[in-house]
């Protein structure tokens, strides 16, 4: 378990580029593996989570290779997945697990899913319920967790499913099961979540329609689909850029350009909230990359003011709360967040993990059932930790958020385990050291 003390090493300046979007990377491998012919992907995130997806798709018959900067995927066709002959090791990745459960649900194969200690605590009932309605069968561990074995259904039965939680993973699992299901599978989404599956499935040639009915999104996918191979360019991950956006905002003297950041509306909530707190974030050269809006972001040190964060923006920044809490700890006045029950079932319980970590670093935090209330320092550096390191609970975003806090602290912040950062942002520590040098 490599621990690390993150200390102030200077304002963030210059230009940097964050790795490819994790959600889009997973999907490009999965959809490429279901197309007939060769899909080429550039800008793929080569973190452990995406590599878990890659290994699983290989185990089910796809040929996936890298040459130069391009990944080449030779798919098996929808319906063509093969029975894996060993358990699928999902590592730390909820996205791999839930989306692959969807894919396999409408294939006549049996697969076992395993994962690390963090993933093995996370709820899978949310996908087991709709996929069972489609005909799949599950032997899960107590509480609907991993390790679990699933028996796909062939043919599966199309359903209409209204999402009980705002979750792009659950939405995607049902849509992916629908790909190899005769008829039309419908997902009703009362609260919009990231729409990469919809955009990309359409790009790969699936017949997928989205309609707005009484304020809800109704998504219909036609089964027995045929996917056509694509050239995919993966834009930079806004959820990775988030750490550098906040680090630049809270560190005096910073003026940083983060290039090629994906700005899909369903992902851009953090920027909106930070601007409302007084953050200077400028979009340069807005353009399209791989069918997604992208810009370079110029971020300058700013005096932030605490706000009440509207729970309605939560789905569009669901992975950014740990680092927003760090921004709030440095702001003037109080920041209140609510409606964040979902944060308790991420890679860790992010409300309790961040309340504990920020308190250890000297911030003033109150933990509530569904959010945190943070009384900011008014721009003064946090005291930092001494003695006891903060605990990351196998959660990459806790580690990176507290690294950012360390750069805005007097004594530095000691993080117990930096290895989870490999799941989503392998060169994070290198980029942080370089930008702050
Ligand atoms: C993801 C959806 C979100 C997010 C995760 C990636 C995706 O999860 O937290 O990091 O790629 O679909 P939920 O669907 O559980 O909110």
């Amino acid at each position: 378990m490599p621990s690390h003390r993150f200390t102030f090493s200077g304002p963030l300046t210059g230009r940097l580029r964050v790795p490819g979007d994790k959600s889009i990377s997973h999907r490009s491998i999965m959809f490429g593996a279901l197309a007939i012919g060769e899909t080429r992907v550039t800008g793929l995130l080569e973190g452990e989570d995406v590599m878990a997806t890659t290994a699983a798709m290989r185990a089910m018959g796809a040929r996936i290779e890298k040459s130069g900067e391009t990944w080449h995927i030779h798919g098996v066709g929808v319906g063509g997945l093969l029975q894996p002959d060993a358990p699928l090791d999902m590592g730390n990745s909820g996205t791999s697990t839930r989306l692959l459960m969807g894919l396999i649900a409408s294939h006549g194969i049996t697969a076992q899913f395993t994962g690390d200690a963090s993933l093995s605590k996370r709820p899978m009932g949310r996908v087991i319920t709709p996929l069972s309605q489609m005909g799949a069968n599950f032997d899960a561990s107590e509480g609907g967790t991993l390790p679990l074995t699933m028996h796909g259904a062939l043919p599966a039965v199309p359903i209409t499913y209204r999402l009980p939680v705002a979750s792009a993973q659950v939405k995607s699992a049902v849509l992916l099961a629908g790909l190899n299901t005769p008829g039309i599978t419908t997902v009703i989404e009362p609260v919009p979540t990231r729409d990469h599956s919809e955009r990309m499935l359409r790009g790969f040639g699936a017949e997928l329609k989205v309609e707005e009915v009484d304020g809800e999104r109704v998504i219909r996918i036609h089964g027995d689909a045929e996917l056509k191979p694509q050239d995919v360019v993966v834009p930079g991950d806004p959820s990775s850029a988030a750490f550098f956006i906040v680090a630049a905002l809270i560190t005096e003297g910073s003026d940083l350009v983060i290039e090629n950041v994906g700005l899909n509306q369903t992902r851009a909530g953090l920027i909106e909230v930070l601007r409302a707190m007084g953050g200077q974030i400028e979009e340069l050269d807005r353009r399209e990359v791989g069918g997604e809006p992208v810009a370079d972001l110029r971020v300058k040190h700013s005096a932030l003011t605490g706000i009440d964060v509207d729970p309605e923006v939560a789905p569009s920044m669901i992975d950014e709360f740990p680092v927003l809490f760090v921004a709030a700890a440095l702001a003037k006045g109080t920041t209140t967040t609510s409606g964040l029950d979902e944060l308790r079932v991420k890679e860790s319980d992010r409300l309790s993990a961040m309340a504990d970590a920020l308190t250890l670093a000297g911030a003033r935090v109150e933990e509530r059932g569904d959010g945190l209330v943070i009384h900011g320092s008014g721009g003064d550096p946090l005291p930092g930790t001494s003695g006891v390191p903060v605990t990351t609970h196998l959660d990459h975003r806790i580690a990176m958020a507290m690294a950012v806090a360390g750069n805005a602290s007097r004594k530095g912040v000691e993080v117990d385990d930096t290895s989870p950062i490999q799941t989503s942002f392998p060169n994070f520590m290198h980029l942080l050291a370089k930008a702050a040098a």
Side-chain angles (χ1 to χ4, degrees):
M1 234 173 48
S3 69
H4 189 87
R5 175 166 284 275
F6 292 90
T7 52
F8 173 71
S9 47
L12 287 92
T13 55
R15 302 176 78 86
L16 61 83
R17 200 168 253 255
V18 296
D21 189 276
K22 181 155 75 72
S23 294
I24 296 174
S25 294
H26 280 296
R27 289 160 173 81
S28 67
I29 298 283
M30 290 180 196
F31 303 168
L34 288 182
I36 293 188
E38 187 189 68
T39 288
R40 287 181 287 263
V41 184
T42 53
L44 188 84
L45 166 64
E46 295 176 9
E48 288 173 356
D49 281 11
V50 176
M51 292 303 115
T53 290
T54 303
M57 296 319 295
R58 281 189 181 125
M60 292 187 285
R63 202 163 83 200
I64 307 173
E65 290 148 1
K66 188 184 179 190
S67 73
E69 291 308 304
T70 306
W71 285 79
H72 302 261
I73 305 156
H74 297 266
V76 294
V78 171
L81 292 179
L82 304 178
Q83 169 83 42
D85 53 19
L88 302 174
D89 180 2
M90 301 284 95
N92 187 254
S93 179
T95 310
S96 308
T97 311
R98 297 194 178 116
L99 270 57
L100 289 176
M101 283 169 70
L103 267 189
I104 295 174
S106 55
H107 282 70
I109 60 183
T110 293
Q112 207 192 340
F113 289 83
T114 62
D116 73 2
S118 152
L119 185 58
S120 302
K121 283 191 217 143
R122 299 181 64 186
M124 296 302 151
R126 53 180 61 195
V127 281
I128 292 176
T129 301
L131 298 176
S132 301
Q133 290 171 16
M134 296 180 81
N137 280 294
F138 297 85
D139 306 311
S141 300
E142 208 184 311
T145 55
L146 264 47
L148 68 75
T149 302
M150 80 176 283
H151 310 277
L154 191 70
V157 187
I159 59 168
T160 294
Y161 191 67
R162 193 166 191 280
L163 294 177
V165 280
S167 166
Q169 292 179 355
V170 178
K171 166 176 67 177
S172 301
V174 176
L175 293 176
L176 295 186
L179 275 177
N180 197 41
T181 300
I184 296 174
T185 296
T186 306
V187 178
I188 303 169
E189 190 177 51
V191 180
T193 64
R194 66 190 68 194
D195 61 357
H196 306 299
S197 292
E198 296 93 306
R199 286 172 183 246
M200 291 178 72
L201 282 170
R202 248 200 243 114
F204 274 81
E207 216 180 317
L208 181 146
K209 293 207 174 69
V210 183
E211 232 187 316
E212 189 82 33
V213 182
D214 300 333
E216 302 186 324
R217 290 178 82 237
V218 180
I219 309 152
R220 293 189 180 87
I221 188 160
H222 287 244
D224 290 330
E226 246 179 61
L227 299 190
K228 294 193 249 339
Q230 298 297 305
D231 282 346
V232 181
V233 184
V234 183
D237 196 328
S239 300
S240 296
F243 299 104
F244 286 94
I245 296 173
V246 170
L249 287 177
I250 64 177
T251 311
E252 218 174 296
S254 295
D255 186 351
L256 180 72
V257 175
I258 311 165
E259 297 172 348
N260 188 41
V261 182
L263 291 178
N264 180 314
Q265 269 295 309
T266 62
R267 300 285 299 280
L270 177 73
I271 295 177
E272 209 178 293
V273 168
L274 289 171
R275 282 184 178 145
M277 294 172 78
Q280 303 175 69
I281 307 169
E282 201 186 333
E283 287 166 29
L284 311 172
D285 188 18
R286 229 185 135 93
R287 55 202 185 269
E288 247 193 37
V289 171
E292 297 272 350
V294 155
D296 301 332
L297 300 180
R298 180 171 182 191
V299 188
K300 292 187 202 164
H301 171 245
S302 309
L304 299 179
T305 309
I307 59 167
D308 283 355
V309 179
D310 181 351
E312 289 220 338
V313 302
S316 67
M317 56 174 292
I318 196 67
D319 291 335
E320 282 65 83
F321 281 96
V323 81
L324 173 72
F325 297 146
V326 174
L330 273 291
K332 183 172 159 226
T334 299
T335 297
T336 306
T337 57
S338 57
L340 302 181
D341 316 74
E342 274 296 300
L343 292 199
R344 297 210 181 268
V345 292
K346 293 293 180 187
E347 286 82 328
S348 68
D349 173 343
R350 287 182 171 161
L351 293 180
S352 118
M354 283 306 295
D356 291 351
L358 280 172
T359 302
L360 260 183
R364 288 194 299 141
V365 182
E366 290 166 45
E367 183 179 342
R368 293 189 177 161
D370 67 342
L372 298 187
V373 178
I374 299 179
H375 308 285
S377 70
D380 291 338
L382 298 176
T385 63
S386 37
V388 189
V390 302
T391 310
T392 53
H393 302 279
L394 290 177
D395 188 335
H396 53 139
R397 299 203 198 277
I398 304 299
M400 291 186 278
M402 292 313 295
V404 169
N407 198 56
S409 71
R410 279 196 284 276
K411 286 180 289 195
V413 168
E414 172 112 12
V415 168
D416 71 335
D417 183 9
T418 55
S419 59
I421 295 173
Q422 294 299 320
T423 60
S424 70
F425 198 162
N427 60 343
F428 169 78
M429 288 175 58
H430 169 75
L431 286 183
L432 182 62
K434 208 172 116 195

